[in-house]
Amino acid sequence: MSHRDLRVVRVFIGSPGGLEKERREFFETIDLVNTIKARTLGLLLEAVGWEDTLPGRGRPQAIINEELKTCDLVILTVWRRWGSPTGAYSSGFEEEYAVAHEANKDIQLYFKSVSKDRLADPGDQLKRVLAFRKRIEAERNYLYDTYADGEWRQTLLVNLCAWLDGWDEDDAKPTLPPGPHPARQRELERQIEALQRELEALKSEQGQEVARLAQRAHGYAQRGELTKAEILFAELADEETNPDVLNQLGLFYRQTGDLDGARSTFEQMARVAEAEQDPEAQAIAYGNLGLVLRTRGDLSGAEAMHRKALTLNEQLGRVEGMASQYGNLGLVLRTRGDLDGAEAMHRKSLELDQQLNRLEGMASDYGNLGLVLRARGDLDGAEAMHRKALAIEEQLGREEGMARDFGNLGLVMKARGDLDGAEEMHRKSLELSTQLGRLEGMASQYGNLGNVLLERGDLTGAETMYVKSLGIDDKIGRVEGIAATKKNLGIVHQDRNDSNAARAAWTVAVGVYERLGNHAKAEELRSWLSQLDDDPDA
């Protein structure tokens, strides 16, 4: 399809000062989305910003506004600066938002994360930004996303591709997909409620003050005022030294994809628990640290943490804690490719959870055993385990577990060649993970859907899914997912006879698998690379 046959879709970027890097990356990302997705839909994205606005007579912002009105999608991002008055509004950014809203444009709003110390003591410019964010939450007209420094390119890439997925040729307009805001709100509310339950038991004056702050945060979240709630969370993170509170904060950071925040919080929790001679809190901190390290690909560090936690739980006679750590050690061993060791750990965990009649733990154990059996090729055994897990999660009403089990059943169906059934399961899992804001689950299911499309020979569709998966895994630092996606992207490139791109992708995957200690997968990819080198046409 030639350039002139493509339908032009205009995308506007608006931002106050301080985001020059984001503006440059916006134009670069538009070019990338055109290459990997838009052109396959018969579309051509055209980036529009004040940089492209032609000089003219009249108020400068009014000229920019006329350009904005011609665009199909309006992207607005803001950080610490609000901007200067335009004569009609308090800033150009506010005026652009108002014009886009009045014109009924599709709007994507982004807020760059602000450090906790600035949140605690904001200046006039940041106060205006926070007031705007509170207004957006109160009005509930638009969803928004947040990103940390260095995450803008990948965040924008994933959201633009998702926006194009909803393109309707009849309406000549895409339908915006569900954004992260409702899921983040639900998850925040759950974490605040858990935090509140823990804090109510505290008797000290310090504990009562934390409980007061948590109660306020809970009220803000219930009303959708997430910015106020996050400010109180910042105060708790900076000032609270109670292990129970630190544990809840660490879990909140991990669930929302802030692995650095989770790691530092759990490390602080371990130090506080050691100083207070609280071995139970130490065990919990070590176990959660192990989960963060495994996600980051540090399997040796993860195993060390889980074994520390297991030892403390054994000394305390905490059977529930022992079961959890046996299960976590099984995950580490499976990632390394040690299926016998993994199965032994998961069966120990299951035995203890059955003794306790701990349904949530049993569901996790059945699911993990299903993964081991599938890796061995026992598809009937794997399906039986995953269906047991799903039945328990449905009984408990745990959507997170249901999402995981749907995804695992999809893997079994794909292994049997039932691609339609596999796709149905993965899309169910993706829908639930998106609703819950579970980034890791979303990345996994995008990758799994890519595998289904690849099996059908739809290279473009598969690549689109892999790019989405890779974008999320890069954002949260999920190393095992990055390795798998690089491996699959290499297959796409090879099927297109692009040996150089395949070689580059597989070389990265080999390095990551070696880092994970999964030498079998690394060796498999080395053999693929060797075949490329032996191919005279490569």
PDB file of all heavy atoms in Angstrom, residues 306-320:
ATOM      1  N   HIS A 306      13.996 -16.741  50.084  1.00  0.00           N
ATOM      2  CA  HIS A 306      12.950 -17.723  50.413  1.00  0.00           C
ATOM      3  C   HIS A 306      13.460 -18.758  51.424  1.00  0.00           C
ATOM      4  O   HIS A 306      12.702 -19.199  52.297  1.00  0.00           O
ATOM      5  CB  HIS A 306      12.455 -18.413  49.152  1.00  0.00           C
ATOM      6  CG  HIS A 306      11.693 -17.511  48.233  1.00  0.00           C
ATOM      7  ND1 HIS A 306      10.726 -16.644  48.686  1.00  0.00           N
ATOM      8  CD2 HIS A 306      11.744 -17.332  46.872  1.00  0.00           C
ATOM      9  CE1 HIS A 306      10.217 -15.963  47.659  1.00  0.00           C
ATOM     10  NE2 HIS A 306      10.820 -16.364  46.564  1.00  0.00           N
ATOM     11  N   ARG A 307      14.731 -19.125  51.320  1.00  0.00           N
ATOM     12  CA  ARG A 307      15.277 -20.095  52.290  1.00  0.00           C
ATOM     13  C   ARG A 307      15.415 -19.458  53.674  1.00  0.00           C
ATOM     14  O   ARG A 307      15.208 -20.123  54.706  1.00  0.00           O
ATOM     15  CB  ARG A 307      16.598 -20.665  51.789  1.00  0.00           C
ATOM     16  CG  ARG A 307      16.420 -21.590  50.573  1.00  0.00           C
ATOM     17  CD  ARG A 307      17.589 -22.489  50.327  1.00  0.00           C
ATOM     18  NE  ARG A 307      17.368 -23.338  49.155  1.00  0.00           N
ATOM     19  CZ  ARG A 307      16.651 -24.465  49.155  1.00  0.00           C
ATOM     20  NH1 ARG A 307      16.081 -24.888  50.282  1.00  0.00           N
ATOM     21  NH2 ARG A 307      16.514 -25.165  48.054  1.00  0.00           N
ATOM     22  N   LYS A 308      15.791 -18.177  53.723  1.00  0.00           N
ATOM     23  CA  LYS A 308      15.816 -17.481  55.013  1.00  0.00           C
ATOM     24  C   LYS A 308      14.422 -17.454  55.637  1.00  0.00           C
ATOM     25  O   LYS A 308      14.251 -17.712  56.834  1.00  0.00           O
ATOM     26  CB  LYS A 308      16.307 -16.042  54.817  1.00  0.00           C
ATOM     27  CG  LYS A 308      17.808 -15.865  54.716  1.00  0.00           C
ATOM     28  CD  LYS A 308      18.146 -14.375  54.686  1.00  0.00           C
ATOM     29  CE  LYS A 308      19.643 -14.136  54.706  1.00  0.00           C
ATOM     30  NZ  LYS A 308      19.969 -12.685  54.744  1.00  0.00           N
ATOM     31  N   ALA A 309      13.432 -17.119  54.799  1.00  0.00           N
ATOM     32  CA  ALA A 309      12.059 -17.069  55.289  1.00  0.00           C
ATOM     33  C   ALA A 309      11.593 -18.446  55.758  1.00  0.00           C
ATOM     34  O   ALA A 309      10.915 -18.577  56.792  1.00  0.00           O
ATOM     35  CB  ALA A 309      11.136 -16.539  54.191  1.00  0.00           C
ATOM     36  N   LEU A 310      11.956 -19.492  55.002  1.00  0.00           N
ATOM     37  CA  LEU A 310      11.555 -20.854  55.368  1.00  0.00           C
ATOM     38  C   LEU A 310      12.155 -21.253  56.719  1.00  0.00           C
ATOM     39  O   LEU A 310      11.464 -21.816  57.583  1.00  0.00           O
ATOM     40  CB  LEU A 310      11.994 -21.831  54.281  1.00  0.00           C
ATOM     41  CG  LEU A 310      11.696 -23.316  54.541  1.00  0.00           C
ATOM     42  CD1 LEU A 310      10.195 -23.539  54.699  1.00  0.00           C
ATOM     43  CD2 LEU A 310      12.258 -24.171  53.405  1.00  0.00           C
ATOM     44  N   THR A 311      13.430 -20.945  56.927  1.00  0.00           N
ATOM     45  CA  THR A 311      14.094 -21.291  58.184  1.00  0.00           C
ATOM     46  C   THR A 311      13.418 -20.618  59.369  1.00  0.00           C
ATOM     47  O   THR A 311      13.156 -21.250  60.408  1.00  0.00           O
ATOM     48  CB  THR A 311      15.576 -20.882  58.133  1.00  0.00           C
ATOM     49  OG1 THR A 311      16.233 -21.598  57.083  1.00  0.00           O
ATOM     50  CG2 THR A 311      16.277 -21.180  59.445  1.00  0.00           C
ATOM     51  N   LEU A 312      13.118 -19.330  59.232  1.00  0.00           N
ATOM     52  CA  LEU A 312      12.454 -18.607  60.320  1.00  0.00           C
ATOM     53  C   LEU A 312      11.063 -19.181  60.597  1.00  0.00           C
ATOM     54  O   LEU A 312      10.664 -19.343  61.753  1.00  0.00           O
ATOM     55  CB  LEU A 312      12.353 -17.123  59.974  1.00  0.00           C
ATOM     56  CG  LEU A 312      13.658 -16.325  60.050  1.00  0.00           C
ATOM     57  CD1 LEU A 312      13.471 -14.929  59.476  1.00  0.00           C
ATOM     58  CD2 LEU A 312      14.133 -16.232  61.507  1.00  0.00           C
ATOM     59  N   ASN A 313      10.321 -19.496  59.525  1.00  0.00           N
ATOM     60  CA  ASN A 313       8.991 -20.063  59.718  1.00  0.00           C
ATOM     61  C   ASN A 313       9.055 -21.432  60.383  1.00  0.00           C
ATOM     62  O   ASN A 313       8.188 -21.770  61.203  1.00  0.00           O
ATOM     63  CB  ASN A 313       8.256 -20.157  58.380  1.00  0.00           C
ATOM     64  CG  ASN A 313       7.694 -18.816  57.924  1.00  0.00           C
ATOM     65  OD1 ASN A 313       7.006 -18.150  58.677  1.00  0.00           O
ATOM     66  ND2 ASN A 313       7.989 -18.424  56.698  1.00  0.00           N
ATOM     67  N   GLU A 314      10.053 -22.227  60.038  1.00  0.00           N
ATOM     68  CA  GLU A 314      10.227 -23.535  60.684  1.00  0.00           C
ATOM     69  C   GLU A 314      10.525 -23.360  62.165  1.00  0.00           C
ATOM     70  O   GLU A 314      10.003 -24.094  63.010  1.00  0.00           O
ATOM     71  CB  GLU A 314      11.340 -24.312  59.990  1.00  0.00           C
ATOM     72  CG  GLU A 314      10.947 -24.819  58.601  1.00  0.00           C
ATOM     73  CD  GLU A 314      12.112 -25.449  57.857  1.00  0.00           C
ATOM     74  OE1 GLU A 314      13.289 -25.148  58.211  1.00  0.00           O
ATOM     75  OE2 GLU A 314      11.867 -26.236  56.930  1.00  0.00           O
ATOM     76  N   GLN A 315      11.385 -22.390  62.496  1.00  0.00           N
ATOM     77  CA  GLN A 315      11.718 -22.139  63.905  1.00  0.00           C
ATOM     78  C   GLN A 315      10.497 -21.686  64.693  1.00  0.00           C
ATOM     79  O   GLN A 315      10.337 -22.018  65.867  1.00  0.00           O
ATOM     80  CB  GLN A 315      12.828 -21.089  63.995  1.00  0.00           C
ATOM     81  CG  GLN A 315      14.167 -21.557  63.461  1.00  0.00           C
ATOM     82  CD  GLN A 315      15.187 -20.433  63.362  1.00  0.00           C
ATOM     83  OE1 GLN A 315      14.872 -19.262  63.611  1.00  0.00           O
ATOM     84  NE2 GLN A 315      16.417 -20.783  63.015  1.00  0.00           N
ATOM     85  N   LEU A 316       9.619 -20.920  64.031  1.00  0.00           N
ATOM     86  CA  LEU A 316       8.426 -20.407  64.691  1.00  0.00           C
ATOM     87  C   LEU A 316       7.259 -21.394  64.664  1.00  0.00           C
ATOM     88  O   LEU A 316       6.256 -21.188  65.351  1.00  0.00           O
ATOM     89  CB  LEU A 316       7.980 -19.101  64.010  1.00  0.00           C
ATOM     90  CG  LEU A 316       8.915 -17.906  64.145  1.00  0.00           C
ATOM     91  CD1 LEU A 316       8.497 -16.806  63.181  1.00  0.00           C
ATOM     92  CD2 LEU A 316       8.915 -17.391  65.572  1.00  0.00           C
ATOM     93  N   GLY A 317       7.388 -22.438  63.844  1.00  0.00           N
ATOM     94  CA  GLY A 317       6.287 -23.377  63.685  1.00  0.00           C
ATOM     95  C   GLY A 317       5.123 -22.803  62.902  1.00  0.00           C
ATOM     96  O   GLY A 317       3.984 -23.244  63.048  1.00  0.00           O
ATOM     97  N   ARG A 318       5.404 -21.801  62.039  1.00  0.00           N
ATOM     98  CA  ARG A 318       4.362 -21.168  61.220  1.00  0.00           C
ATOM     99  C   ARG A 318       4.143 -22.018  59.963  1.00  0.00           C
ATOM    100  O   ARG A 318       4.821 -21.855  58.948  1.00  0.00           O
ATOM    101  CB  ARG A 318       4.750 -19.742  60.825  1.00  0.00           C
ATOM    102  CG  ARG A 318       4.664 -18.737  61.942  1.00  0.00           C
ATOM    103  CD  ARG A 318       4.854 -17.322  61.402  1.00  0.00           C
ATOM    104  NE  ARG A 318       3.721 -16.880  60.609  1.00  0.00           N
ATOM    105  CZ  ARG A 318       3.776 -16.568  59.317  1.00  0.00           C
ATOM    106  NH1 ARG A 318       4.910 -16.672  58.649  1.00  0.00           N
ATOM    107  NH2 ARG A 318       2.685 -16.146  58.678  1.00  0.00           N
ATOM    108  N   VAL A 319       3.170 -22.908  60.010  1.00  0.00           N
ATOM    109  CA  VAL A 319       2.953 -23.841  58.913  1.00  0.00           C
ATOM    110  C   VAL A 319       2.526 -23.099  57.642  1.00  0.00           C
ATOM    111  O   VAL A 319       2.965 -23.439  56.535  1.00  0.00           O
ATOM    112  CB  VAL A 319       1.897 -24.897  59.307  1.00  0.00           C
ATOM    113  CG1 VAL A 319       1.652 -25.869  58.163  1.00  0.00           C
ATOM    114  CG2 VAL A 319       2.357 -25.644  60.551  1.00  0.00           C
ATOM    115  N   GLU A 320       1.694 -22.077  57.780  1.00  0.00           N
ATOM    116  CA  GLU A 320       1.258 -21.319  56.611  1.00  0.00           C
ATOM    117  C   GLU A 320       2.447 -20.654  55.913  1.00  0.00           C
ATOM    118  O   GLU A 320       2.561 -20.682  54.684  1.00  0.00           O
ATOM    119  CB  GLU A 320       0.250 -20.253  57.025  1.00  0.00           C
ATOM    120  CG  GLU A 320      -0.247 -19.387  55.884  1.00  0.00           C
ATOM    121  CD  GLU A 320      -1.276 -18.369  56.321  1.00  0.00           C
ATOM    122  OE1 GLU A 320      -1.884 -18.567  57.388  1.00  0.00           O
ATOM    123  OE2 GLU A 320      -1.465 -17.369  55.604  1.00  0.00           O
TER     124      GLU A 320
END
